[in-house]
Amino acid sequence: MTVSGFDHVSLPLRDDDAVVGFYRALGLAVDETEHVVVVHFGEQMINFHRAEMWTRADFTLRAPRPRASTSAIPTATWSSS
């Protein structure tokens, strides 16, 4: 299996102005919402969660368990050899 891309990556954000300025200076599209800054490049994106979001006690970057309908998606196995 060859990986050709990804939908998105989520990361915590501490300095909103610096991150937004950096990606806009690179010419990338940046969308800002109350809790998330989204940087678009091609069909991929990075979701930066603002501090008021990721510092909450109930916040997690973990996705929910996959539903049965997604069990047909192949999984990759990795080897160090």
Side-chain angles (χ1 to χ4, degrees):
M1 172 180 18
T2 301
V3 175
S4 60
F6 56 90
D7 179 65
H8 74 280
V9 173
S10 295
L11 299 169
L13 173 64
R14 186 173 305 265
D15 189 339
D16 302 29
D17 294 334
V19 169
V20 169
F22 174 77
Y23 285 105
R24 284 195 172 140
L26 291 176
L28 299 175
V30 178
D31 296 328
E32 294 187 70
T33 68
E34 181 180 357
H35 300 291
V36 180
V37 172
V38 183
V39 177
H40 301 271
F41 49 100
E43 294 183 21
Q44 287 81 39
M45 63 184 159
I46 303 172
N47 292 344
F48 290 99
H49 294 271
R50 296 183 192 270
E52 55 273 1
M53 183 81 170
W54 60 264
T55 55
R56 291 185 349 205
D58 63 337
F59 179 76
T60 180
L61 287 174
R62 288 186 167 186
R65 290 173 129 331
R67 291 170 284 184
S69 64
T70 62
S71 63
I73 297 173
T75 57
T77 56
W78 303 97
S79 172
S80 60
S81 56

